[in-house]
Amino acid sequence: MNATDIQPPPTAGRVWQTITVAQRAADSADENLWLTAGYFLASMAGVALLLSFLGMALIYIERKVAAHFQCRVGPMRVGPFGLLQTVADTVKLVFKEDFVPRMADRWLHMLAPFLALLVPVVLLALIPYSPAAQVADLNIGILFITAIGGFGVMGILIAGWSSNNKWSMIGAMRAGAQIISYELSATLALLVVVLFSGTMSLSGIVHSQESGWWIWRGHAAGLCAFLIYLVASTAELNRTPFDIPEGESELTAGFHTEYSGLRFAFFFLAEFINMFTVSALTATLFLGGWMPFHIGDWSAFNASMDAIPPALWFIGKTTAIIFIIMWFRWTFPRLRVDQLMHLEWKVLLPIGFANLLVASVVVLTNAYPFPVAAP
Amino acid sequence: MAGTRGLRSSRRALRQPSRPAPRVSRRRLAGVSVAQRLSGRVHAGAAEVSVQVRTLDELLHAPLIADSELTTQEYLVNMGPQHPIAHGSLRVVLRLDGETVKHVIPVPGYVHRGVEKMCEHLTYRQIVPYTDRLDYLSAIMNNWAVARMVEAAAGIPTNYRIETIRTIMAELQRLQSHALWWGVTGMDLGAYTAFLYGFREREIIGEIFEETIGARLTMNYIQPGGLMYDIKPDFAAKVKKLLPYLKDCIEQYETLLSGNVIFQERLRNIGMIDGARALALGCTGPILRASGVPYDLRAAEPYGMYGKVQFNVVVGAVGDCWDRYYVRLEEMRESIRIIEQLIDNIPEGPIATLRYNDDIILPEGLHYGHVETARGVFGVLAASDGTSKTPYRLHFRSPNFNNLWVVTAIAAGWRIADFIAIQSSLDLVIPDIDR
């Protein structure tokens, strides 16, 4: 199913047209190869810029959020509004001694941080930031995301195994068990949205939410899938309350105990970029992505919502999810391993399956509060 | 036994470790008074604690179990001396099978300074500053133990002003210590925000100490026969302003951690130790009280102004990590109550009954003085030859040393994360163990 096949319902105000960078490049391939190459380079540069910008911005945001939660003044002081805090952090990390433990598997030890960073960078290219800003829109988008997303655990497993440290090894084993388990629940939640929207393409999913977001238009099933996805993806991120692979008070620092300086920074960058991609995906799947807030056939209201640029909608929704994930981190204690597994296999997974059933009933009976574009 | 609060509802089935620790029901403990048990007439549970004396080397190099190819292999890891959970320089060797703790071998001694030996060359006044370097979170209370020992042995009188200020300061310090412990427990269980909240309260109380004493951490304030410095005129006003704030803070603690379902899951029914076993191991303080034994030196043998104020001895029911957590939280409320009763009328009078350079010579014999610190009973035992200004031999009975061995007694069978919760709930201060 191609995104452009979806016809917007007649009640919606503006007709949104998604043109990805890949599409532009393909269109120009026949006439001007240089233009195609230009699009190629521009998208690469764009992703690279976004990567570095997100790295800086998310660390800044995290420090500010943490500072406000914890009544700290440090990140408020370095530079105006603490803006130079990230610079200070980066400089400190760059100048730290970079070492590999003596008996460690040297090459794997050095490879692991790059593997960890690979996944979120690939996913950055798939996210629909706005109708005009998306690098590629795969028709198997969701499938690709779940397939690639599971690859991230490789970096952590290799890091823990190659470090020649028992604490790292325990952390890596925990990470393997945790991320692979929670992948199931996250995928089940994604499937609910696929059922609702009838497409796996990300921009198709965004288009399908023109007359209402799935979080509330999918009845309880949409909300339930949203919550499951939020919890499961927080676990995949290794963030509190699911940061047991790090567990800094138990395992010193878990899988990245033996990493210092820039290599450590890569792990953290991967975590932050991952947090962004997870938040962006949650916003895209359940909160309409860049799609403005529409209510059924209220054309005047919808038109006024359309006046706000779609990129702003996307940023707003993503930021809200990022804040929620940070909020988790700075208030929740850490779970224990068996509690974590209990939550996944005995709570989230059964609920996820039941939810999928409920969602299919909703789709079959076409019981939406607002008209839906026929897929 | 005043004010026993039912701290738990044990509706949920107990999660048993793979090697369950022996539990003594409340019924068995009932009918035996604490005084009886302490006097040694009833050795409750003593038979259950088997003491096997083995050297550290034997423990560390005991064969690791890998019977057949079907079993997993045990391995040793060092938790400490540099580990976030060590809270100092304590090394604990864990014998692990996967994530399950099989055996715990504490290896203290990394901050051993020979304080007791040094004290044999010091006058009793000079010993005081050494005590607050042992348990630096109970510095003032530790000072008081020396003061009590010397005052009782040499018959030095004090007055109500001295005792009132001592009590207020000790309770403030207990609040400070428990606030820090609360934060550290939060941090150990992954809630980093709690750590900074606990530290915030600690610093606020520290400022009050700083104004009076001039120090924030190692405060040598209580001297035999009096106090080092008099309180400032606005001391009472400042403390009275602080108390409602601390009450709010405790409510905040409850909101942030106690009410959190993850936090409760991490602490409830973890690391149970029953009262008899705790007594047999020599535990004191909140750990003993959490196991249901209402023994608090402040109530059992009142000193200072404790006999003249109303407060409850808080006890737990099961002796798990949650009880130890909640007993301390309740103790903070009780400390606030004690200060509230004393702060309004601090009597007038001199703050010392001796001149600072008066020599103190204790009569010949053994002299003992003890106080209830934030972590349990801190005692000072001095042997005097009756002629010297210095003790012939001096020994500290520090609460943390006994409390540490709870870990070896109960940690086996739990997971690494539970071990963290257990050790964190013991509230260890390492220099106090090593001396």
Side-chain angles (χ1 to χ4, degrees):
Chain A
M1 170 77 47
N2 201 328
T4 48
D5 290 350
I6 292 178
Q7 295 303 314
T11 48
R14 189 170 155 185
V15 178
W16 296 99
Q17 198 80 40
T18 298
I19 308 169
T20 62
V21 179
Q23 215 172 332
R24 285 177 210 270
D27 290 346
S28 63
D30 293 336
E31 307 144 26
N32 191 347
L33 269 178
W34 288 110
L35 198 59
T36 311
Y39 278 126
F40 182 67
L41 287 176
S43 57
M44 276 180 54
V47 169
L49 271 177
L50 188 66
L51 183 75
S52 48
F53 170 75
L54 281 178
M56 300 292 265
L58 284 171
I59 292 172
Y60 174 70
I61 294 171
E62 176 102 304
R63 298 206 52 143
K64 288 296 266 194
V65 170
H68 282 288
F69 268 91
Q70 303 178 333
C71 321
R72 300 200 308 195
V73 290
M76 317 269 182
R77 286 200 184 168
V78 189
F81 308 108
L83 274 169
L84 293 179
Q85 184 67 51
T86 320
V87 180
D89 287 345
T90 315
V91 169
K92 180 191 156 204
L93 277 174
V94 168
F95 282 100
K96 277 209 166 185
E97 188 194 355
D98 183 26
F99 65 87
V100 178
R102 187 185 290 166
M103 299 293 280
D105 193 323
R106 193 178 174 79
W107 289 110
L108 286 183
H109 191 264
M110 281 153 69
L111 182 69
F114 295 96
L115 282 180
L117 192 59
L118 189 66
V119 175
V121 174
V122 171
L123 292 187
L124 276 186
L126 292 178
I127 292 167
Y129 303 99
S130 104
Q134 186 182 6
V135 175
D137 183 30
L138 302 181
N139 56 357
I140 52 155
I142 297 287
L143 202 62
F144 186 75
I145 285 168
T146 45
I148 279 285
F151 189 70
V153 71
M154 276 290 278
I156 292 177
L157 270 175
I158 290 178
W161 185 81
S162 65
S163 290
N164 185 34
N165 180 328
K166 286 167 190 165
W167 293 127
S168 301
M169 188 67 196
I170 299 174
M173 290 296 115
R174 284 177 171 193
Q178 169 182 336
I179 294 176
I180 291 167
S181 306
Y182 275 83
E183 192 78 38
L184 295 175
S185 282
T187 310
L188 281 180
L190 293 181
L191 284 183
V192 169
V193 176
V194 172
L195 262 185
F196 278 137
S197 58
T199 176
M200 284 206 272
S201 123
L202 283 175
S203 72
I205 288 171
V206 175
H207 279 284
S208 74
Q209 302 180 67
E210 189 146 11
S211 49
W213 304 344
W214 290 122
I215 185 173
W216 51 280
R217 214 179 59 189
H219 299 294
L223 184 64
C224 188
F226 169 75
L227 293 177
I228 291 178
Y229 187 73
L230 196 63
V231 172
S233 51
T234 311
E236 281 186 69
L237 287 175
N238 300 330
R239 281 177 76 88
T240 318
F242 305 106
D243 64 338
I244 60 163
E246 276 171 50
E248 90 277 2
S249 63
E250 301 160 22
L251 310 180
T252 58
F255 64 89
H256 58 64
T257 304
E258 298 291 356
Y259 284 87
S260 67
L262 264 185
R263 271 196 268 277
F264 168 78
F266 263 66
F267 276 117
F268 249 72
L269 187 62
E271 187 186 309
F272 280 116
I273 304 296
N274 236 330
M275 180 166 68
F276 172 77
T277 50
V278 159
S279 308
L281 282 175
T282 316
T284 303
L285 297 168
F286 299 97
L287 304 179
W290 49 257
M291 189 61 80
F293 182 66
H294 289 159
I295 298 180
D297 48 1
W298 297 12
S299 45
F301 176 78
N302 293 349
S304 63
M305 287 288 120
D306 286 348
I308 301 171
L312 271 188
W313 279 103
F314 175 81
I315 293 169
K317 293 167 187 176
T318 311
T319 315
I321 304 286
I322 288 177
F323 177 73
I324 290 176
I325 294 178
M326 287 183 178
W327 190 353
F328 286 167
R329 173 160 189 174
W330 298 114
T331 46
F332 277 2
R334 186 181 304 121
L335 279 165
R336 209 172 49 214
V337 188
D338 54 326
Q339 288 169 346
L340 188 91
M341 290 295 155
H342 180 271
L343 179 68
E344 162 61 15
W345 293 99
K346 294 185 179 168
V347 180
L348 285 187
L349 202 61
I351 294 178
F353 274 120
N355 194 41
L356 195 61
L357 265 174
V358 173
S360 59
V361 170
V362 170
V363 171
L364 278 177
T365 54
N366 209 12
Y368 301 108
F370 295 105
V372 179
Chain B
M1 183 174 102
T4 304
R5 278 184 62 138
L7 288 177
R8 56 183 309 109
S9 57
S10 48
R11 272 178 240 125
R12 305 183 53 238
L14 290 181
R15 202 174 69 85
Q16 287 292 342
S18 62
R19 205 181 77 188
R23 292 190 60 219
V24 175
S25 69
R26 295 282 291 157
R27 206 174 297 122
R28 246 189 76 190
L29 282 174
V32 180
S33 80
V34 179
Q36 275 178 322
R37 207 172 303 131
L38 287 175
S39 67
R41 275 195 281 148
V42 179
H43 298 280
E48 292 168 17
V49 182
S50 61
V51 180
Q52 229 179 331
V53 180
R54 284 189 285 176
T55 64
L56 183 63
D57 209 45
E58 280 170 351
L59 283 170
L60 289 179
H61 296 105
L64 299 167
I65 296 168
D67 294 320
S68 72
E69 286 174 7
L70 289 175
T71 60
T72 50
Q73 195 187 350
E74 287 183 357
Y75 57 106
L76 294 171
V77 287
N78 284 305
M79 205 169 246
Q82 290 165 13
H83 189 278
I85 188 61
H87 298 179
S89 299
L90 175 70
R91 178 176 167 215
V92 176
V93 183
L94 297 183
R95 186 184 288 261
L96 295 175
D97 181 3
E99 287 225 12
T100 310
V101 177
K102 288 296 188 189
H103 191 54
V104 179
I105 309 161
V107 189
Y110 284 84
V111 271
H112 183 69
R113 292 156 297 178
V115 173
E116 287 158 330
K117 195 69 190 166
M118 279 194 276
C119 288
E120 289 169 18
H121 303 278
L122 301 168
T123 65
Y124 294 100
R125 296 261 202 194
Q126 290 170 329
I127 287 170
V128 170
Y130 282 83
T131 58
D132 48 50
R133 275 144 185 85
L134 294 174
D135 183 349
Y136 42 78
L137 296 178
S138 304
I140 290 175
M141 293 181 257
N142 287 0
N143 296 168
W144 203 352
V146 179
R148 284 196 72 201
M149 187 263 290
V150 174
E151 283 161 10
I156 302 167
T158 58
N159 59 29
Y160 277 123
R161 181 176 178 80
I162 292 171
E163 294 296 343
T164 308
I165 294 173
R166 281 177 178 182
T167 312
I168 291 171
M169 286 294 189
E171 289 309 310
L172 276 176
Q173 178 130 58
R174 193 182 311 278
L175 278 167
Q176 191 190 30
S177 173
H178 283 346
L180 182 65
W181 155 84
W182 177 84
V184 168
T185 295
M187 185 181 68
D188 287 342
L189 296 178
Y192 193 73
T193 302
F195 178 64
L196 289 145
Y197 283 12
F199 242 94
R200 180 187 63 189
E201 270 69 85
R202 176 175 182 264
E203 291 301 310
I204 289 167
I205 301 173
E207 267 154 34
I208 288 188
F209 286 145
E210 194 178 14
E211 276 179 359
T212 310
I213 303 166
R216 299 179 76 95
L217 191 71
T218 52
M219 302 162 282
N220 44 326
Y221 184 56
I222 296 178
Q223 284 284 333
L227 307 166
M228 281 292 279
Y229 313 99
D230 202 353
I231 51 173
K232 295 281 180 288
D234 59 347
F235 172 80
K238 282 193 171 163
V239 172
K240 275 174 81 172
K241 208 174 137 198
L242 176 76
L243 294 180
Y245 169 77
L246 284 178
K247 278 182 191 166
D248 287 349
C249 285
I250 296 171
E251 292 311 313
Q252 198 178 29
Y253 294 175
E254 299 266 21
T255 318
L256 184 62
L257 279 191
S258 313
N260 189 307
V261 63
I262 298 174
F263 190 70
Q264 294 200 10
E265 287 287 322
R266 286 292 305 276
L267 295 187
R268 278 189 191 274
N269 300 323
I270 301 295
M272 275 87 67
I273 183 159
D274 56 69
R277 212 166 146 82
L279 275 176
L281 285 166
C283 296
T284 45
I287 296 168
L288 183 65
R289 291 196 284 276
S291 303
V293 182
Y295 180 70
D296 187 331
L297 212 59
R298 295 175 296 167
E301 193 185 311
Y303 56 95
M305 298 297 281
Y306 290 118
K308 297 184 175 56
V309 290
Q310 294 285 318
F311 67 99
N312 295 333
V313 176
V314 190
V315 296
V318 185
D320 57 357
C321 292
W322 177 254
D323 278 358
R324 293 195 274 275
Y325 172 84
Y326 224 88
V327 162
R328 289 201 184 91
L329 222 51
E330 286 293 320
E331 263 185 30
M332 289 178 76
R333 295 202 172 96
E334 296 300 326
S335 290
I336 292 176
R337 257 183 84 194
I338 294 174
I339 300 173
E340 271 174 347
Q341 292 170 58
L342 292 173
I343 196 70
D344 276 327
N345 32 24
I346 300 171
E348 293 299 317
I351 56 150
T353 52
L354 290 177
R355 278 179 296 132
Y356 186 75
N357 50 5
D358 279 349
D359 286 337
I360 304 168
I361 297 174
L362 297 191
E364 190 180 348
L366 285 175
H367 308 291
Y368 184 64
H370 54 181
V371 290
E372 179 83 22
T373 72
R375 270 155 289 277
V377 173
F378 180 83
V380 184
L381 178 74
S384 173
D385 57 7
T387 56
S388 169
K389 289 184 285 185
T390 62
Y392 176 75
R393 179 78 184 92
L394 190 109
H395 175 67
F396 293 119
R397 185 257 179 241
S398 60
N400 291 300
F401 185 80
N402 292 68
N403 292 350
L404 169 68
W405 306 102
V406 172
V407 157
T408 56
I410 63 176
W414 301 101
R415 287 164 195 276
I416 298 176
D418 294 328
F419 175 77
I420 302 296
I422 291 168
Q423 196 174 337
S424 183
S425 73
L426 298 180
D427 189 18
L428 300 173
V429 170
I430 311 306
D432 197 38
I433 296 169
D434 286 348
R435 300 202 284 281

